[in-house]
Amino acid sequence: MADLEKLLREQVDAAEAWRHVERLSTIVRTAGTPEEKEAVDYFMARLAEYGVPAQLHQFEAFVSHPLEAELEILEPEHAFIPCRPGAFAASTPEGGIEAEVVYQSSAADRGSKEGMIFDRQAGKSDEYSGESIAGKIVITASGGPDGVKHAQDAGAVAHCHVWPSDEDVIHERITTSIWGTPTPESIGRLPKIPAIDLKKRDGERLKALCQRGTVRARLKTRVFIGWRTVLLPVATIEGRVEPEKFLLVGGHHCSWFVGTTDNATGNGCMLEMARVLHLNRDKLRRSVRIAWWPAHSHGRYAGSTWYADNAFDDLRRSCIAYLNIDSPGVRGATLWDCFFNHAEVEQFMDRVMLDVTGRKQEIRRPFKAGDQSFSGIGMPSLGASPMIPVDSPDRAVVGGSGNGYWWHSPEDTLDKGDPERLAFDTGLYLAVAARLCTAELLPFEFVTAAKDFERLVGNLKEAAGSHLDLSPLLTSTERFEAAAWRLESAKGGAAGPKANILNEGLMRISRILSPVLYTVAGDYEQDPALQAPMLPGLDPARKLARMDPAGSEYRLLRTWLVRQRNRTEDALYRATAEVNRVLAELK
């Protein structure tokens, strides 16, 4: 396997991968536009040139294109403030809206994490529990879908988000928490007020004005929200022993502006991976599918969500793991952030990163972003993204492109990428794919997951106290951990039919545990695009001790938590039973 990894990495052609980046960096790849088709036609032509089989899906997605915004200060002085509207935010009436402007410090400003984590049971936030903002335009550093919702719930007529970075850049933003194409249940979460983004210096200027007295402004926004046909290419490099089993590699092809590092570099990386893997397909035990997701930036991950919905059975039965590729090849990115990794692949990714980069990396769990649309299905997620060091002049407090200041802005141009870095990053992803698709025994283990459950349940038990009995659940976690250790002991030297038995069991265990450990919605739905802790269904147990046991909210929440306790305990019971079944079959 080491020889194959070395060969694959040596076969990466930096000039070829960069050729793709150069071409894509001339196209504004907005979802559902002719330019998107131009980019997808390029992908399909290159795959055909390499001889890689590919299928093109097309479907209707619910997308949003921010068009224009104008913020005019009327009092106490007259000025126009540069701004951009948020995707999926409401448009103003044609003449705009005129209202008083108020500045509101955010929970983050106050050093609090309350309200910053997704809580399905939460009512209105206390973000605006002080001065009333009803009927006003609120300026705040509290961004994201939760920031807009909190302002909307408090009666604001518009939400103005101030970016925290000092750079002269306004970053594009998505204001809806709806993950993928909406359902009748989720469409109600579409924002009902306009939302714009401001530079830090302009936000501070407005804050100073608000602190001195009354400020009035007129806001105009225009945002397209609706249905567009989008395109999803999927390439397949077929393995020779178990072609029905496959690794899914995915990365979005839509972009804000030309989006060189978000995600033209990722698209070039994936094309080069397809070329190199196809050249070596006779050495692969399992297959690799490479998908270019549409409507990531303009549809809140609508492409990967559509694939999760429409390839559900194939993914559930046959996909060994999902590797997300977003923003490799970033100029000056010399560090790695290994997020998006499920517990069962922590040790695997730890070994890969050490072998390829020569340095031990911290392997982190997924957060709800970046086309993580498959946790409910139960496929293990893997990821590693190159990052810009903290002391670099290019670094900013943003959400992607390795923390480059150019993220989600017109500044993300060809000069922000690095051909040599892209070649190295492509080699690393090829190493991940090679190990997963050539190893006879899948490199997954569940002792780490068991320890995650034990730690989380222990913390929740302490926080909930007598309000919710989690002792039986803690016993179930310990029972599963003991079973996971027995499973590890049984792996030694497994080959042939025994390896097949183990592989099928490992995949089934992942399908049982991941929906509980990483989602609230479970197997068939998507959680909102808000940050959530691990074991999110049970996490609100932390609130019980602070609530009035005689109150209705307490009783409603406790009912929810009892059901989530049952859900978690059942998953651990089924996972333990699956381990025992596999061990019995191995005898």
Side-chain angles (χ1 to χ4, degrees):
M1 184 168 62
D3 290 342
L4 176 59
E5 284 183 33
K6 183 173 182 293
L7 175 64
L8 296 177
R9 292 170 63 194
E10 288 175 347
Q11 288 182 346
V12 172
D13 186 333
E16 181 70 359
W18 194 249
R19 171 171 75 114
H20 308 315
V21 178
E22 289 177 324
R23 177 68 182 91
L24 294 168
S25 294
T26 67
I27 308 170
V28 177
R29 303 178 302 284
T30 305
T33 64
E35 289 74 22
E36 176 192 63
K37 183 177 185 304
E38 181 181 353
V40 170
D41 285 347
Y42 178 82
F43 299 145
M44 298 300 286
R46 298 292 74 73
L47 292 169
E49 176 185 327
Y50 300 149
V52 180
Q55 183 178 10
L56 182 60
H57 303 280
Q58 66 177 34
F59 57 94
E60 295 293 305
F62 191 69
V63 302
S64 180
H65 304 154
L67 300 175
E68 56 187 1
E70 178 182 278
L71 180 62
E72 181 182 8
I73 306 303
L74 305 174
E75 298 178 20
E77 60 187 48
H78 186 264
F80 287 93
I81 305 296
C83 59
R84 284 287 299 163
F88 290 104
S91 297
T92 62
E94 186 174 347
I97 55 174
E98 184 178 329
E100 182 182 350
V101 177
V102 295
Y103 184 89
Q104 177 69 39
S105 63
S106 67
D109 293 332
R110 298 190 294 272
S112 170
K113 292 186 178 180
E114 291 293 325
M116 298 176 68
I117 298 295
F118 164 51
D119 182 347
R120 194 182 185 98
Q121 294 75 42
K124 290 187 177 181
S125 166
D126 63 357
E127 183 85 6
Y128 300 103
S129 57
E131 178 185 359
S132 171
I133 64 166
K136 300 175 183 178
I137 298 171
V138 64
I139 298 175
T140 177
S142 178
D146 47 349
V148 177
K149 181 182 185 300
H150 294 162
Q152 177 179 293
D153 288 348
V157 295
H159 177 270
C160 303
H161 169 243
V162 180
W163 282 96
S165 299
D166 292 323
E167 289 74 21
D168 189 27
V169 173
I170 301 176
H171 310 280
E172 298 295 309
R173 176 173 61 121
I174 305 174
T175 63
T176 179
S177 67
I178 301 170
W179 189 283
T181 296
T183 63
E185 179 190 35
S186 65
I187 190 63
R189 298 205 306 271
L190 197 68
K192 298 176 177 61
I193 62 173
I196 62 171
D197 287 85
L198 309 175
K199 299 173 188 175
K200 180 180 179 180
R201 68 185 185 197
D202 291 323
E204 291 179 342
R205 173 185 174 189
L206 290 172
K207 176 183 178 180
L209 287 176
C210 290
Q211 289 173 336
R212 290 202 297 266
T214 300
V215 179
R216 293 193 65 81
R218 179 182 297 115
L219 176 64
K220 298 179 182 179
T221 66
R222 194 163 63 90
V223 178
F224 168 79
I225 303 173
W227 298 91
R228 289 288 183 267
T229 300
V230 296
L231 304 171
L232 195 172
V234 180
T236 300
I237 298 92
E238 194 167 280
R240 291 295 179 259
V241 180
E242 302 176 78
E244 73 285 357
K245 293 291 191 292
F246 63 94
L247 167 69
L248 178 63
V249 178
H252 68 91
H253 66 68
C254 57
S255 68
W256 297 112
F257 312 101
V258 299
T260 291
T261 62
D262 191 13
N263 190 30
T265 49
N267 300 157
C269 166
M270 292 156 63
L271 283 169
E272 184 63 1
M273 286 181 70
R275 185 187 71 83
V276 173
L277 288 169
H278 183 69
L279 288 175
N280 296 276
R281 59 193 181 278
D282 61 313
K283 304 174 184 69
L284 298 179
R285 181 182 186 88
R286 304 178 187 92
S287 299
V288 180
R289 285 189 198 172
I290 303 178
W292 287 260
W293 308 129
H296 161 106
S297 298
H298 311 103
R300 185 63 89 179
Y301 320 122
S304 56
T305 304
W306 180 91
Y307 200 68
D309 291 341
N310 289 274
F312 180 90
D313 189 67
D314 203 13
L315 294 167
R316 179 81 121 182
R317 315 300 169 207
S318 301
C319 184
I320 60 171
Y322 171 56
L323 171 63
N324 187 69
I325 296 179
D326 197 343
S327 300
V330 174
R331 183 184 79 189
T334 58
L335 304 177
W336 286 92
D337 192 353
C338 302
F339 48 75
F340 292 156
N341 293 282
H342 282 190
E344 60 265 42
V345 297
E346 177 180 302
Q347 293 188 19
F348 167 76
M349 282 299 291
D350 185 65
R351 290 191 297 270
V352 174
M353 297 304 296
L354 180 60
D355 291 346
V356 177
T357 70
R359 296 165 62 180
K360 188 170 179 61
Q361 310 288 342
E362 180 187 3
I363 309 301
R364 297 201 289 131
R365 300 292 177 266
F367 58 93
K368 191 64 176 170
D371 284 299
Q372 292 296 301
S373 302
F374 307 101
S375 289
I377 296 177
M379 300 143 48
S381 169
L382 308 105
S385 291
M387 306 296 289
I388 295 170
V390 174
D391 59 356
S392 168
D394 286 341
R395 193 179 188 277
V397 185
V398 291
S401 286
N403 281 334
Y405 71 83
W406 49 80
W407 174 74
H408 280 200
S409 83
E411 300 294 320
D412 188 8
T413 47
L414 190 62
D415 59 306
K416 307 308 187 300
D418 181 334
E420 291 185 7
R421 179 77 215 195
L422 180 59
F424 181 88
D425 298 348
T426 302
L428 184 142
Y429 299 132
L430 282 168
V432 172
R435 294 193 190 190
L436 288 172
C437 293
T438 59
E440 186 171 10
L441 182 63
L442 290 172
F444 306 150
E445 59 82 28
F446 288 95
V447 173
T448 302
K451 290 183 180 298
D452 279 351
F453 272 103
E454 191 171 4
R455 172 179 53 82
L456 293 163
V457 172
N459 289 342
L460 291 172
K461 179 178 180 296
E462 182 178 351
S466 61
H467 297 275
L468 185 71
D469 185 9
L470 294 179
S471 297
L473 184 54
L474 193 57
T475 300
S476 295
T477 67
E478 294 165 353
R479 186 180 298 119
F480 174 66
E481 182 179 351
W485 277 114
R486 291 196 299 273
L487 185 63
E488 283 302 294
S489 298
K491 287 182 180 179
K498 287 191 173 183
N500 293 336
I501 291 169
L502 281 163
N503 288 339
E504 292 295 332
L506 292 169
M507 290 177 64
R508 283 193 293 268
I509 295 166
S510 184
R511 269 56 172 174
I512 294 169
L513 296 180
S514 290
V516 173
L517 196 52
Y518 304 110
T519 81
V520 175
D523 300 39
Y524 314 110
E525 293 287 346
Q526 294 287 342
D527 286 328
L530 301 171
Q531 292 315 307
M534 292 174 65
L535 208 57
L538 267 178
D539 194 74
R542 302 178 190 279
K543 298 170 57 177
L544 286 175
R546 304 195 303 269
M547 301 174 72
D548 178 8
S552 181
E553 288 188 8
Y554 175 94
R555 292 165 177 169
L556 296 172
L557 178 57
R558 194 177 183 286
T559 299
W560 163 273
L561 290 167
V562 168
R563 294 173 183 174
Q564 289 297 314
R565 181 184 64 190
N566 295 343
R567 176 190 180 218
T568 307
E569 190 157 11
D570 183 57
L572 288 165
Y573 174 85
R574 290 187 292 123
T576 303
E578 178 60 32
V579 171
N580 291 333
R581 190 198 65 77
V582 169
L583 293 175
E585 194 172 346
L586 287 173
K587 291 181 180 178

